[in-house]
Amino acid sequence: MLFGLSLFALCTLVQSLPSKSHAVKQVDDGTTQSMAIIDAANTLLGLLTAEQNASLVYPYEAAGNATPIYFGSDTTGAIAGEQFGQSVWTNYPVGIVDRVGLARDNFTDTQEEAVLNLLRLMFSEDGYNKVQEIMNADQVEEDRGVDYEAGLGSYTLGFFGEPSLTSIWMIQFGGHHLGINMAMYGSKAVIAPLLTGCLPAINNVTNRVLAAENDIAFSLVGSLDDSLFAQANISHDVSTLTLGPGHDGEEYITEGVSVALFTKAQRALVVDLVSEWAGLLNPIHYAPRLAEIKAGLNETYFAWSGPTTKEDNQNGESYFRIKGPNLWVE
């Protein structure tokens, strides 16, 4: 099993634009992409019944710290998720933690195609394909008869705020091994927080899900000399996500090796690895974020726990973490 968590600060939405020579084209491209997503969202809403619409659209509520969601009806103990306003962030199956929105098994074929069109515009081509692979793997679990809701029909879509260029709104989409939170404001968009995971990792002999992030990560750690690896290696328990649901607002000490010490090739691998999460976003909206990630590499750290090799054409069983300015991947 492999899970991936990616967190990016939402302040990226309202950051200053680049220098004037680059700003006009970036705003035009970003606005055009945002309008395409808004149009696709409104097309979907126009296909829904009033009852469906009421289940899919909620207010966007800016919240300070998250409200924890506990297992069952408990009010203390282990945390299963977080709630911001009415939106819910979790990495547990539907049924253990209820999602807010409209599940896919409630859509007609026409509505379903409108949902998929929206996802195609939100994501890059590779991102869209990854989302499909994760969902298909969850359907394999459903077909095996697991005792929780895992299949395609349980994936849930929610809008928080009205699709608009003039105010912040958010698209939330996910199921057991996928959690997408895409916030938009004008020409800008970010995905934060983001969860990708997979079980089973191989759906058939030709399709290894989450292969790229596995292969890049092991290539990166394998390229480190003894001195760099000694700095990257962490030995404490990493069996749960450090900044997963239930850890909103927490601060963690910096661990690992400074990417400033890496060669040019190793730094490129770090960018490629981060892009396996951040690059789910469509290329237009991702471009300014990618530039930000590259600019922050000297303040970025890479940490590793577990084996440094894996079998060919198999996903590994190790943990890594990348921490940088407005960036957390584990």
Side-chain angles (χ1 to χ4, degrees):
M1 182 185 300
L2 178 84
F3 293 102
L5 170 72
S6 177
L7 297 174
F8 307 99
L10 292 181
C11 63
T12 305
L13 279 171
V14 293
Q15 68 186 10
S16 299
L17 288 172
S19 63
K20 187 174 181 180
S21 61
H22 295 90
V24 173
K25 185 177 188 302
Q26 193 173 79
V27 170
D28 287 347
D29 288 349
T31 299
T32 299
Q33 186 68 25
S34 293
M35 278 306 307
I37 294 171
I38 290 168
D39 288 346
N42 284 327
T43 295
L44 170 61
L45 293 177
L47 295 172
L48 302 182
T49 66
E51 182 179 6
Q52 287 176 311
N53 195 295
S55 296
L56 192 144
V57 182
Y58 297 85
Y60 181 90
E61 301 175 54
N65 293 328
T67 300
I69 298 173
Y70 299 95
F71 287 98
S73 57
D74 294 344
T75 56
T76 60
I79 295 176
E82 295 175 341
Q83 187 165 356
F84 293 85
Q86 295 186 61
S87 66
V88 171
W89 159 239
T90 181
N91 61 327
Y92 283 94
V94 177
I96 295 179
V97 179
D98 292 335
R99 303 321 196 255
V100 177
L102 196 60
R104 285 182 67 176
D105 59 8
N106 292 303
F107 292 123
T108 66
D109 290 345
T110 301
Q111 293 167 344
E112 172 72 7
E113 183 52 43
V115 171
L116 295 178
N117 183 57
L118 174 61
L119 298 180
R120 291 186 192 101
L121 291 166
M122 291 166 54
F123 302 129
S124 63
E125 181 178 354
D126 288 344
Y128 179 79
N129 290 336
K130 181 179 295 189
V131 165
Q132 292 292 336
E133 289 173 351
I134 291 170
M135 291 193 294
N136 289 337
D138 275 352
Q139 185 60 48
V140 171
E141 282 292 276
E142 179 86 0
D143 293 342
R144 287 176 175 175
V146 293
D147 58 356
Y148 52 83
E149 297 179 58
L152 295 171
S154 64
Y155 270 75
T156 302
L157 176 69
F159 294 169
F160 298 86
E162 297 290 337
S164 169
L165 276 178
T166 58
S167 59
I168 296 178
W169 67 291
M170 184 174 73
I171 302 169
Q172 191 170 73
F173 179 75
H176 180 20
H177 286 111
L178 180 70
I180 302 293
N181 297 275
M182 179 174 174
M184 300 186 65
Y185 179 67
S187 64
K188 299 176 182 179
V190 294
I191 295 180
L194 164 66
L195 172 78
T196 57
C198 187
L199 181 69
I202 298 180
N203 290 342
N204 54 52
V205 294
T206 63
N207 186 19
R208 180 162 59 98
V209 185
L210 305 183
E213 43 268 77
N214 266 262
D215 294 345
I216 296 169
F218 279 92
S219 292
L220 175 58
V221 75
S223 75
L224 303 182
D225 62 27
D226 291 344
S227 174
L228 292 177
F229 179 73
Q231 296 176 64
N233 189 39
I234 53 178
S235 57
H236 57 73
D237 179 63
V238 290
S239 58
T240 60
L241 293 173
T242 306
L243 283 184
H247 299 281
D248 175 54
E250 295 181 8
E251 292 287 339
Y252 283 85
I253 61 172
T254 298
E255 295 181 290
V257 60
S258 171
V259 175
L261 301 176
F262 285 7
T263 65
K264 182 178 179 180
Q266 289 168 335
R267 289 161 69 94
L269 285 173
V270 172
V271 173
D272 289 345
L273 187 53
V274 172
S275 292
E276 286 302 315
W277 285 270
L280 263 69
L281 198 60
N282 66 80
I284 299 299
H285 283 138
Y286 181 44
R289 182 62 179 130
L290 177 60
E292 191 178 71
I293 291 166
K294 290 180 177 179
L297 283 178
N298 284 343
E299 302 170 72
T300 299
Y301 288 80
F302 174 74
W304 185 273
S305 177
T308 58
T309 60
K310 66 180 183 67
E311 296 182 25
D312 291 341
N313 299 316
Q314 295 290 324
N315 288 351
E317 298 181 356
S318 297
Y319 169 94
F320 63 85
R321 180 188 304 160
I322 301 171
K323 180 184 179 184
N326 294 331
L327 173 67
W328 182 282
V329 177
E330 63 175 314

